[in-house]
Amino acid sequence: MYRVYRYRIAWVPLLGLAGSFLLALAAPPIHAQTAREIIDRVDRLLRGESSRGRVTMEITTEHWSRSLEMEVWSLGVDHSLVRVEAPAREAGTATLKAGQEVWNYLPRVDRTIKVPPSLMMGSWMGSHFTNDDLVKESRIVDDYDFEIAFEGEREGVDVWEFVLTPHPEAPVVWGRVEEQVRKADLMPTWIRYHDDDGKLVRTMTFSGYQTMGGRLVPATMLVIPADKPDELTSLTYHKLEFDIALDESFFSLRNLRSRR
Amino acid sequence: MRALILLKLAARSVGRNARRSALTAAAMVFGLALLILSRTLAEGAHEQWIESAVRMGTGHVAIQAPGYLESSDLDDRLGAAESARAISAIETVLTDELVAWAPRLSVNGLASSAASALPVRIEGVDPTRERAFSDIEDKVQEGRYLEPGDRLHAYVGIELARRLDLKVGSRFVLTAQSASGDIEGQLVRVSGIFRTFIPEVDQALVHIPIETAREWLRTPGAASTLALLLRGARETDRAVEALRGELAAEPNVRVLGWREASAELDAALRIDDYGDYVFHSILFAIVALAVLNAVMMSVLGRRREFGVLQALGLTGAETGMIVFGEGIFLTAVSGAVGVVAGFILTWGFFRNGLDLSRLVDSEAAFAGAGGIIDPVIIPVFHTDQILLSVYFILIIGALSATYPAWRASKLDVAEAMKFEQ
Amino acid sequence: MSRDAIWWRVAWRSLWRNRLRTLITASGLAFGFLAAVIMVGLTDGMVTELVNNGTRLIIGQAQVHADDFLPERSMHRTIGGYDGTDVEALIARMESNPNVAAVAPRVYGGGLLSSGDETQAGLLMGIDPRREPEVTTLLLNVSAGRPPVAGANEILVGAAMADQLGLELGAEVVVVAPAVDGSMGNDLFTLVGTFETGTPALDANYAILALPDLQLLMALDEERIHEVAVAFVQASETALSSASLAETLSDGPPVRVSPWTELRPELAEMIALMDGANFLIVVIIFAMAIFGVANTMLLGTFERRHEFALVRALGTTPLGVWRTVVYEGIILGLMSLLGGALITWPILVWWHNFPPDLTSLISGFSMSGSQWRPILRVEYSLMAPLVSAIALFLTSILAALYPAWKATRIPPADALADR
């Protein structure tokens, strides 16, 4: 009846992830008004935000290692298209999310299957990211309370360290999230996820800060599970464009199948 | 006048040959007592079986939306109006045959924690009603079952807790598709952890308060099933009839007896029934034979006696009637005594139930002793079953009496007198 | 010596002279024997049938896995680890164990099956179509079409799943399953059959493929399998057989042999309880049989007190009377039980080989081939006839001895005069 289905589906663009951390930033209390403005602005920026990028994902697990190169398009939080470009035997595999519906295209058999959301499993494409990460980004502001735990220098860099505590009824699995952000450019450096007992469950680190598509972004993100330190997932952006000419009609089944 | 004398003679004859009468009667008494014991235990076992099964499932009677049985989908549910109608029907139509009823809102979804995620079956329940209904509360290992007033609490199985690394008080998120088609998440915290030893249940069943489920899934007042527990399985058909009548005007409400809701259980029980028939046929046969033998044996020793009676002036027919009268008298008394003996035997030894687990052969022993099925069988007395056994004995007794009566009436008096017996 | 022989002759003659009495007594013994043996056979048969139904459908009487496979059932934990093991050699080693009747290798995966717009999650099970029927009856439940053959991308699904996906025989099914190298295995399969076991858990969730096809889909080498299902020679001795098998396999890759009682504890418990109930049933039948015999003998012997008094008057000692009674009992007992056995044996054999199939009576409702095959079976047993025979034999002798003893305590004259 109830079996473990280890099926993974690409959900929403990875950019959303980066964006979510921008959202998660709260200005220091003394700049409370400014903080709200920043958050509001970023929030409005992401809705209706269109983007396109090329990313390499490397996953190392206990049982296997893989490297994938993907082309990613996104529009807001409801629309996304991810297509695998490499390795060659998986090239053309694509996932389309439009609203609540998700489709997968399998080039090897040249078929498209519709995946009901109820069959979503925890991990996204076998990586250490979860669907949670990719779906909930719009609600981080709603779901957490922010607090500055530290303000000062770490290894020569001026940073804030925030502690995010979920609201009592927020549907999030984390008990506590800690985040370090560079003061100078508001770039996140790391995020630590803890469970309800305060135990570290996974760490996300950011690096490779560069300007892409006219914005400063961390080009590389690493996720390391705390209980299996030999495993990791890394995402590296090679190309990223924002505000491109993209509307909802782009996210169609036809585009899912095409090898453009 | 003659009849009265014959009757008196019959009665006296029975009394005078105490040992013979007692032994003959004993066969009938013992037989009847055993029959009553075995029938009541068999009834009890069946009831027990049905009850355990329906408690774990959807009760003796289930009220659902049409199509739910086949789909198990949230979309096939009783809306607020239908639920209310069904509940009022229950209250109108059923009185003391109803032991408990419980509403359930069920959906398939995902349970995610910081550690992992697993597909689960989520049941929104009314804690007070649910605990009267099923014994899932008794399976608790840590923490507690849901309480009225709980909101963000969940009762999970031990396998799920293990895989999601949950303890009592841990948070996790349930995700499912709500009535409007949107994927919604719901935070809950573990109130208690249970263990049923059934892997599918321990790893996939989650109980949350029904109001929480309704809010989360945006289905106010709705229910997937209204499960009813009756006093006994026998009440099912009548209850289903009555409810269907009351709800005839509701096309979106379907009333199901447990046989329809659980065809598997029905089939298993029917097979057991046949095994039962064979067993009882054999038992009846042995009892009949014992009675017959007893009566026949006693006849063998009474040729002289019959002869004397006829020599004294009774006709063949009258002799026969006396003998028959003895037989009937003995049978009647045995019947009465047998019923009493049967009751005493059953009630005396087994009123607290027969604990089958003590009769279990250790070859079949396993881990998780006595976790799943209640091994105690409580004998159930149904008048019609008891009467059946009594009639059987009476008929056997009467039939057995005819042969000796016939022999007595056909006697050649002179020849009979030659015998010592 | 000759004195003894006289008593035997007296006993024999006495039996024949009172044919009716002998017949009555004998019938009680014979029928009691028949009833007890048949009852034990039936109840044993019911339990065997239950074990068979519960285990022979799909799980087998025991399963062998890599020792770290259970309980998570990770697809990576194949027997012998990442390198797998020589499957044929493993099978041969298992079959060399005298308790093993047959084995069947399996591979498992979880994934999606899709046809048109419909997608269902499914448990993929790769089987060896030749070996599987020797261990399980799963393939006997094919209600349409046939089992899959290897190398042709064929698939067999449960009837309920076929319904959900709107599949007809010959239809194309997209199967997607995570592979062990992290990629998403996917391929097209052809539906060659549907099965119906009557168990929703199977009919709605399982998809059966040929083992090599599933290995290919999941990027598993041919040396990698997850499970070997086992059928033992003796269905009722699973604990011992499993231990013996574990011994046999102790010098290979680390494995765990799980008897079905560990895999399905709730079934084991139900059967254990049924065992208990059956014991009670047999006790009841037995009690009645014994009581009947005792009752008959008591009555019969009491009726003979005049006869005893007469022979006593003629000079026989009380011991002599008792000896007669005992010898009669022995002769009668042996003859009746022999007669009983002669009647019982053919009935038992007939019933065992042609058990009445109640499918016509029971599947009046729309459920073909319920998981519980409605067949009333009897099993052979050595204990039952032996114990019944001895018990009934002793009962008849003792039940005759008591009244004989009582009868000879009274002086003959008084007995003859009925005082």
Side-chain angles (χ1 to χ4, degrees):
Chain A
M1 274 178 274
Y2 311 109
R3 311 280 168 191
V4 176
Y5 309 120
R6 304 193 46 76
Y7 188 82
R8 298 154 232 131
I9 289 275
W11 257 112
V12 189
L14 311 163
L15 178 65
L17 256 177
S20 72
F21 306 128
L22 292 174
L23 263 179
L25 298 181
I30 35 171
H31 304 294
Q33 194 62 21
T34 323
R36 178 161 288 127
E37 279 168 12
I38 295 176
I39 291 169
D40 205 36
R41 178 164 51 94
V42 173
D43 200 37
R44 267 190 274 122
L45 274 177
L46 234 67
R47 301 197 192 291
E49 178 72 72
S50 61
S51 74
R52 172 184 180 156
R54 193 166 180 110
V55 64
T56 302
M57 181 162 74
E58 275 168 21
I59 311 172
T60 305
T61 70
E62 182 186 348
H63 303 289
W64 46 262
S65 292
R66 240 153 74 92
S67 180
L68 288 171
E69 222 175 278
M70 301 179 283
E71 191 86 16
V72 181
W73 292 263
S74 84
L75 183 64
V77 300
D78 277 337
H79 294 82
S80 72
L81 177 62
V82 177
R83 183 179 298 134
V84 176
E85 302 290 344
R89 71 185 157 94
E90 293 185 57
T93 312
T95 307
L96 173 69
K97 174 181 185 290
Q100 297 286 355
E101 300 187 316
V102 178
W103 287 272
N104 241 40
Y105 173 67
L106 305 161
R108 197 172 161 277
V109 297
D110 191 26
R111 295 285 186 281
T112 306
I113 64 175
K114 179 175 176 185
V115 185
S118 53
L119 295 184
M120 303 285 97
M121 259 304 292
S123 104
W124 178 77
M125 291 206 99
S127 72
H128 295 89
F129 291 107
T130 65
N131 289 314
D132 227 38
D133 297 323
L134 306 166
V135 170
K136 299 287 194 306
E137 78 294 296
S138 58
R139 309 231 298 264
I140 279 204
V141 195
D142 302 332
D143 291 335
Y144 290 87
D145 285 326
F146 313 97
E147 192 180 77
I148 301 186
F150 172 82
E151 189 179 344
E153 244 188 53
R154 293 260 195 239
E155 283 158 14
V157 181
D158 250 342
V159 297
W160 287 302
E161 280 174 12
F162 298 98
V163 170
L164 284 68
T165 319
H167 294 154
E169 301 198 1
V172 296
V173 300
W174 309 114
R176 185 174 90 246
V177 180
E178 288 167 5
E179 204 174 303
Q180 190 188 72
V181 175
R182 304 204 299 207
K183 265 191 187 176
D185 48 13
L186 298 183
M187 284 288 106
T189 51
W190 51 255
I191 305 182
R192 295 186 185 142
Y193 297 84
H194 304 260
D195 66 12
D196 241 9
D197 298 327
K199 191 175 73 172
L200 179 69
V201 177
R202 71 173 186 184
T203 310
M204 209 178 283
T205 59
F206 302 86
S207 55
Y209 304 100
Q210 52 188 271
T211 309
M212 282 190 178
R215 301 180 193 185
L216 185 65
V217 293
T220 303
M221 285 187 279
L222 234 64
V223 176
I224 301 173
D227 57 348
K228 295 183 200 162
D230 294 330
E231 298 198 0
L232 72 82
T233 299
S234 85
L235 279 176
T236 308
Y237 273 92
H238 305 294
K239 221 170 52 174
L240 199 48
E241 296 163 50
F242 295 97
D243 291 328
I244 49 178
L246 214 58
D247 64 14
E248 286 182 20
S249 65
F250 174 78
F251 298 92
S252 66
L253 286 174
R254 212 188 50 212
N255 279 344
L256 175 68
R257 282 191 287 270
S258 82
R259 285 178 177 254
R260 226 163 33 82
Chain B
M1 185 42 200
R2 274 303 251 215
L4 216 59
I5 296 179
L6 293 179
L7 228 66
K8 264 176 153 180
L9 284 172
R12 289 234 189 107
S13 172
V14 168
R16 206 161 302 151
N17 293 288
R19 187 162 46 207
R20 188 174 72 213
S21 307
L23 281 174
T24 314
M28 288 188 266
V29 167
F30 194 73
L32 186 54
L34 268 190
L35 277 176
I36 291 181
L37 175 68
S38 84
R39 288 233 50 92
T40 54
L41 282 177
E43 275 293 314
H46 251 223
E47 281 281 338
Q48 195 94 330
W49 189 354
I50 296 175
E51 185 153 323
S52 314
V54 299
R55 269 177 191 267
M56 283 199 291
T58 56
H60 290 110
V61 179
I63 303 180
Q64 304 170 342
Y68 179 71
L69 186 67
E70 294 79 9
S71 73
S72 296
D73 211 282
L74 181 67
D75 290 336
D76 295 319
R77 65 179 180 277
L78 299 169
E82 284 86 1
S83 288
R85 275 290 293 128
I87 293 173
S88 89
I90 294 172
E91 284 165 358
T92 314
V93 156
L94 302 174
T95 48
D96 34 63
E97 61 266 74
L98 182 71
V99 168
W101 69 268
R104 299 197 184 127
L105 186 63
S106 316
V107 70
N108 288 325
L110 197 70
S112 323
S113 73
S116 185
L118 240 77
V120 287
R121 176 98 178 140
I122 301 144
E123 306 254 348
V125 299
D126 175 335
T128 327
R129 291 191 177 282
E130 191 67 27
R131 56 159 53 99
F133 194 92
S134 79
D135 61 352
I136 191 117
E137 187 180 10
D138 299 335
K139 315 282 188 199
V140 68
Q141 301 260 303
E142 288 169 50
R144 61 164 179 79
Y145 189 58
L146 305 171
E147 298 281 335
D150 276 353
R151 222 161 46 82
L152 300 179
H153 293 73
Y155 189 60
V156 302
I158 196 166
E159 269 309 299
L160 186 68
R162 194 179 61 83
R163 293 197 199 199
L164 294 187
D165 198 18
L166 299 174
K167 301 196 305 286
V168 175
S170 299
R171 72 192 295 147
F172 68 103
V173 175
L174 294 170
T175 314
Q177 202 168 16
S178 71
S180 54
D182 296 322
I183 311 289
E184 302 279 352
Q186 173 69 45
L187 175 80
V188 287
R189 284 186 184 273
V190 178
S191 75
I193 300 175
F194 66 83
R195 184 171 202 180
T196 64
F197 291 96
I198 303 172
E200 288 95 11
V201 176
D202 287 344
Q203 126 190 339
L205 182 65
V206 176
H207 273 199
I208 61 173
I210 196 171
E211 278 312 315
T212 308
R214 284 170 174 158
E215 238 181 83
W216 167 38
L217 300 167
R218 307 190 199 286
T219 54
S224 303
T225 307
L226 295 177
L228 284 71
L229 199 66
L230 303 175
R231 220 173 12 195
R234 290 170 157 232
E235 317 267 10
T236 308
D237 292 331
R238 211 194 56 78
V240 170
E241 278 285 315
L243 285 168
R244 281 186 180 152
E246 183 73 13
L247 292 165
E250 298 281 341
N252 292 322
V253 177
R254 184 181 181 193
V255 181
L256 295 158
W258 61 268
R259 286 186 196 273
E260 298 166 76
S262 175
E264 241 189 12
L265 178 65
D266 191 25
L269 279 170
R270 287 202 204 194
I271 293 164
D272 196 59
D273 268 347
Y274 279 99
D276 233 16
Y277 291 152
V278 175
F279 162 52
H280 280 107
S281 306
I282 294 183
L283 188 58
F284 275 119
I286 290 204
V287 170
L289 188 69
V291 171
L292 205 66
N293 281 359
V295 172
M296 295 288 273
M297 264 315 185
S298 18
V299 168
L300 285 179
R302 300 175 64 189
R303 276 170 294 188
R304 184 180 167 85
E305 181 189 333
F306 298 153
V308 167
L309 284 174
Q310 292 203 27
L312 289 176
L314 290 168
T315 65
E318 285 168 340
T319 321
M321 279 196 279
I322 291 181
V323 174
F324 192 70
E326 282 175 30
I328 296 297
F329 186 68
L330 213 53
T331 305
V333 170
S334 305
V337 175
V339 169
V340 172
F343 275 16
I344 294 178
L345 179 66
T346 314
W347 190 78
F349 282 98
F350 304 120
R351 69 177 171 286
N352 291 322
L354 170 67
D355 190 355
L356 281 182
S357 54
R358 295 216 241 107
L359 297 173
V360 165
D361 173 18
S362 59
E363 157 76 24
F366 56 97
I372 303 155
I373 304 175
D374 187 1
V376 176
I377 299 182
I378 301 182
V380 165
F381 295 87
H382 278 130
T383 341
D384 56 347
Q385 293 290 355
I386 309 246
L387 280 182
L388 191 70
S389 305
V390 174
Y391 291 157
F392 175 75
I393 293 288
L394 293 181
I395 291 173
I396 286 290
L399 283 178
S400 323
T402 55
Y403 175 70
W406 178 81
R407 267 192 78 138
S409 66
K410 287 278 171 279
L411 225 41
D412 179 340
V413 180
E415 282 296 314
M417 297 297 279
K418 289 184 189 170
F419 289 91
E420 280 297 319
Q421 289 180 285
Chain C
M1 192 50 184
S2 64
R3 280 191 70 79
D4 202 53
I6 289 180
W7 294 119
W8 284 107
R9 276 171 59 187
V10 167
W12 178 262
R13 290 231 188 104
S14 166
L15 283 176
W16 283 114
R17 213 160 295 161
N18 295 285
R19 268 192 282 267
L20 193 56
R21 190 175 74 219
T22 305
L23 189 66
I24 294 173
T25 322
S27 72
L29 274 163
F31 194 72
F33 179 79
L34 175 71
V37 172
I38 296 244
M39 208 59 233
V40 171
L42 258 182
T43 54
D44 271 353
M46 265 198 326
V47 171
T48 306
E49 195 67 13
L50 270 175
V51 173
N52 274 347
N53 278 324
T55 60
R56 281 193 76 89
L57 183 61
I58 193 167
I59 62 175
Q61 275 133 31
Q63 289 176 352
V64 177
H65 305 110
D67 61 354
D68 53 2
F69 182 72
L70 293 174
E72 280 88 10
R73 305 190 139 242
S74 161
M75 64 169 154
H76 300 285
R77 308 224 184 272
T78 47
I79 297 177
Y82 296 134
D83 296 324
T85 183
D86 183 345
V87 178
E88 286 302 318
L90 177 68
I91 288 179
R93 267 219 318 287
M94 290 176 73
E95 287 177 335
S96 73
N97 183 304
N99 293 313
V100 170
V103 303
R106 278 107 169 253
V107 168
Y108 290 100
L112 296 183
L113 288 92
S114 181
S115 171
D117 259 356
E118 287 293 325
T119 311
Q120 284 285 314
L123 193 102
L124 307 170
M125 185 170 158
I127 59 162
D128 178 338
R130 191 176 56 82
R131 290 217 161 86
E132 190 69 30
E134 292 171 12
V135 178
T136 66
T137 59
L138 181 64
L139 295 179
L140 292 177
N141 288 296
V142 171
S143 54
R146 57 172 177 76
V149 303
N153 268 26
E154 297 181 345
I155 195 168
L156 171 77
V157 302
M161 179 176 285
D163 270 346
Q164 293 267 35
L165 294 172
L167 292 174
E168 306 257 327
L169 288 187
E172 170 195 282
V173 183
V174 182
V175 179
V176 185
V180 294
D181 62 358
S183 68
M184 195 63 69
N186 59 88
D187 213 341
L188 292 174
F189 284 78
T190 312
L191 186 72
V192 293
T194 59
F195 64 84
E196 206 166 342
T197 63
T199 322
L202 295 177
D203 294 346
N205 292 306
Y206 272 66
I208 314 284
L209 299 80
L211 194 143
D213 292 350
L214 185 57
Q215 283 174 321
L216 207 61
L217 184 72
M218 292 173 67
L220 283 166
D221 295 328
E222 62 174 14
E223 294 92 25
R224 300 184 70 180
I225 59 172
H226 295 114
E227 175 179 288
V228 184
V230 183
F232 290 123
V233 171
Q234 275 275 68
S236 46
E237 299 287 329
T238 37
L240 289 170
S241 305
S242 301
S244 155
L245 186 58
E247 247 321 288
T248 309
L249 296 174
S250 58
D251 59 349
V255 294
R256 187 192 163 113
V257 180
S258 307
W260 68 267
T261 46
E262 279 175 31
L263 300 165
R264 299 279 306 278
E266 77 281 9
L267 183 66
E269 178 164 341
M270 180 162 73
I271 287 176
L273 288 177
M274 201 153 268
D275 237 354
N278 289 341
F279 181 70
L280 187 66
I281 289 174
V282 169
V283 164
I284 289 181
I285 294 275
F286 222 67
M288 194 61 222
I290 293 206
F291 182 84
V293 165
N295 188 288
T296 309
M297 290 306 288
L298 283 171
L299 264 175
T301 319
F302 270 124
E303 297 294 336
R304 296 169 66 188
R305 59 188 184 282
H306 285 181
E307 175 194 330
F308 296 151
L310 199 60
V311 302
R312 292 258 339 265
L314 289 174
T316 318
T317 60
L319 190 62
V321 174
W322 302 342
R323 247 208 283 207
T324 321
V325 168
V326 169
Y327 287 3
E328 277 177 28
I330 292 177
I331 299 173
L332 186 63
L334 287 175
M335 274 175 24
S336 332
L337 290 172
L338 197 67
L342 281 173
I343 307 173
T344 311
W345 181 249
I347 294 183
L348 217 57
V349 170
W350 171 80
W351 202 330
H352 181 83
N353 290 313
F354 301 102
D357 190 334
L358 303 171
T359 328
S360 52
L361 293 162
I362 291 187
S363 54
F365 49 94
S366 58
M367 189 170 177
S368 64
S370 162
Q371 182 189 351
W372 311 94
R373 275 186 316 160
I375 290 181
L376 279 180
R377 169 185 295 288
V378 294
E379 287 292 314
Y380 297 134
S381 146
L382 194 57
M383 285 295 290
L386 221 56
V387 171
S388 317
I390 293 175
L392 290 168
F393 188 74
L394 286 176
T395 306
S396 73
I397 292 184
L398 291 172
L401 211 51
Y402 172 66
W405 174 75
K406 281 218 80 167
T408 54
R409 286 196 17 204
I410 313 173
D414 291 339
L416 281 171
D418 263 330
R419 278 198 285 274

